[in-house]
Amino acid sequence: MSKKKLKKTYIIAETACSHDGSPGRLKKLIRAANNAKADAIQFQVWQGEDIVTPKHKDFKFLKSIELSRREWKECFNYTKKKFPRLEIIACISDIDTLKFCDKLGANAFKLHTSDLGNKDLLREASKLKKRIDLSVGGSTEKEIKQALNYIKKRCEVWLMYGYQLFPTKPGSLNILKMKSLIKKFRLEVGYQDHSPPNISGFTIPILAIGSGIKVIEKHLTDDRKRKGTDSEAALEPDEFKLFVNKCNEAFLTMRNLNLSKLSKEEIKYRKYSKKKVFFSKNLTKGNIISGTDLLIRRPVKKNGLLVDDINKVLGKKIRKNVKKYQLVEKKLFI
């Protein structure tokens, strides 16, 4: 992706481990992301031994849900062939996997917050000249600055704020921190949402958009009832489609227009709703207008006197006969 200012929301469908070792299930998630009109699909590409040692308590579980290199190649190719508009973001944690995903055509790379001090990985990723989405949840500004020094402006960088607590409760977040990151580092900042898959899973990301954030990452699963991996903060396909739609709607309300001027929509609304002045009775030529001669009502035409200007006709003499409910216009007075 070329380095340019985003003009709309950029929604990332995070598949994480929701595939549970099934390439068929992952393809289902890819189709769902495309159907929802997400901008990108994110794959977490790893082998169990690349993440933990064999003595780690999760090693056997991780091995049971990992995809093979052959299966990853199949899923990358499936995405690029069937849904070329979807960008592929590869979340990687070692140089070998980085190179593997680059050959498969990844558009960008996601680096976990735990790798902010992994200078060799950061340097190698930056040499590929593809965007790096740098996860910064739980990292200090010093650690972020250090990671950016390793990258040395070789490529575009997005900072991604958020963290997974299976799920992350709203009270654990600090949405305003993202504005602080933008001000501090002058980079695009995105929000990785791990909120519960209820109303909070919609309102918190939309709040982020309302704070000026354009990049939203959201977990996608096939079916929460299956209670698969990473389902605690994930949306199902139909929910994800609605989520993308509502995020885009929220962004439309943040248009950076001339705030001192009315939009076309506001002008249309104004013509419909701004009250006008009407005559309250039949009056004859020469009558001097008093307050009892006038009514304030919703408009029926584009012309007529606005209620704001009612004092401009009080005490004035009408130049011809008028009827009850006739619009008051300046041309009717001497």
Side-chain angles (χ1 to χ4, degrees):
M1 184 179 181
S2 58
K3 187 174 182 178
K4 58 183 179 181
K5 189 176 181 62
L6 291 174
K7 296 182 179 179
K8 61 179 287 295
T9 50
Y10 183 90
I11 309 293
I12 302 168
E14 165 66 284
T15 61
C17 299
S18 291
H19 52 75
D20 282 312
S22 167
R25 184 174 287 120
L26 181 55
K27 288 179 182 178
K28 182 179 180 180
L29 296 178
I30 296 166
R31 293 193 295 271
N34 180 74
N35 185 51
K37 293 183 170 54
D39 297 282
I41 187 92
Q42 186 158 284
F43 300 143
Q44 290 189 12
V45 185
W46 47 265
Q47 301 294 293
E49 56 270 21
D50 297 331
I51 302 176
V52 298
T53 67
K55 293 183 179 181
H56 193 281
K57 64 180 180 66
D58 293 331
F59 180 74
K60 288 184 179 180
F61 170 70
L62 291 171
K63 291 298 291 181
S64 72
I65 65 168
E66 71 180 16
L67 293 176
S68 67
R69 288 292 176 92
R70 178 187 61 78
E71 289 170 330
W72 274 120
K73 183 177 180 180
E74 178 186 337
C75 290
F76 268 75
N77 290 340
Y78 176 79
T79 306
K80 296 179 80 65
K81 181 179 179 179
K82 296 287 187 179
F83 312 110
R85 68 164 206 86
L86 268 182
E87 290 197 330
I88 299 176
I89 305 171
C91 184
I92 52 89
S93 58
D94 64 275
I95 294 174
D96 184 48
T97 305
L98 168 73
K99 293 179 178 179
F100 170 70
C101 291
D102 182 48
K103 288 181 179 179
L104 293 183
N107 300 98
F109 298 104
K110 168 77 171 293
L111 272 68
H112 194 268
T113 186
S114 58
D115 279 312
L116 260 62
N118 192 339
K119 61 181 180 181
D120 291 336
L121 179 60
L122 289 164
R123 285 170 177 167
E124 289 300 314
S126 66
K127 288 177 182 178
L128 297 175
K129 306 295 184 182
K130 294 180 179 179
R131 192 187 76 238
I132 293 177
D133 294 352
L134 203 60
S135 184
V136 298
S139 294
T140 65
E141 287 188 0
K142 181 180 179 180
E143 290 168 334
I144 298 170
K145 185 177 181 180
Q146 174 182 265
L148 293 174
N149 285 337
Y150 293 144
I151 294 170
K152 293 186 181 299
K153 298 184 179 180
R154 295 187 187 97
C155 62
E156 184 177 10
V157 177
W158 289 357
L159 302 181
M160 301 295 293
Y161 169 77
Y163 39 90
Q164 174 70 288
L165 295 178
F166 303 100
T168 303
K169 295 180 180 179
S172 302
L173 294 165
N174 186 352
I175 295 296
L176 294 180
K177 186 170 183 177
M178 289 185 282
K179 297 183 75 172
S180 174
L181 290 171
I182 293 172
K183 184 177 181 181
K184 180 77 175 180
F185 296 102
R186 305 291 180 183
L187 295 171
E188 194 75 59
V189 173
Y191 171 56
Q192 307 164 116
D193 185 66
H194 302 93
S195 302
N198 52 30
I199 192 67
S200 296
F202 286 76
T203 57
I204 302 302
I206 287 174
L207 175 61
I209 292 171
S211 299
I213 301 303
K214 300 184 185 73
V215 181
I216 304 291
E217 177 189 305
K218 186 74 175 177
H219 280 250
L220 172 64
T221 189
D222 60 321
D223 185 356
R224 281 194 303 277
K225 292 179 182 177
R226 189 172 57 81
K227 295 188 183 299
T229 311
D230 287 318
S231 64
E232 297 93 340
L235 297 179
E236 296 176 357
D238 287 346
E239 295 169 330
F240 196 87
K241 185 175 183 179
L242 179 63
F243 174 80
V244 173
N245 179 264
K246 294 306 173 185
C247 283
N248 288 332
E249 278 186 2
F251 180 75
L252 286 176
T253 70
M254 298 292 292
R255 291 176 296 175
N256 187 22
L257 303 174
N258 186 332
L259 300 181
S260 64
K261 292 185 178 181
L262 298 178
S263 66
K264 290 181 180 179
E265 291 84 1
E266 285 179 305
I267 291 173
K268 182 179 179 180
Y269 175 70
R270 177 185 178 84
K271 290 177 179 178
Y272 162 77
S273 64
K274 283 288 187 177
K275 288 185 176 180
K276 299 288 180 71
V277 183
F278 298 79
F279 291 106
S280 64
K281 62 188 80 167
N282 294 335
L283 297 172
T284 56
K285 178 180 177 180
N287 267 96
I288 304 297
I289 298 299
S290 67
T292 58
D293 297 324
L294 304 175
L295 294 173
I296 297 170
R297 296 290 186 272
R298 284 280 184 92
V300 293
K301 293 182 179 179
K302 293 181 180 179
N303 60 333
L305 190 75
L306 283 171
V307 63
D308 312 61
D309 298 323
I310 193 170
N311 287 336
K312 293 181 179 180
V313 298
L314 291 176
K316 293 262 181 108
K317 185 185 295 185
I318 55 173
R319 60 172 72 236
K320 62 179 183 179
N321 295 347
V322 295
K323 294 183 178 181
K324 185 177 181 179
Y325 299 134
Q326 182 177 335
L327 267 171
V328 174
E329 300 178 84
K330 289 182 180 179
K331 65 182 181 181
L332 296 174
F333 298 92
I334 298 173

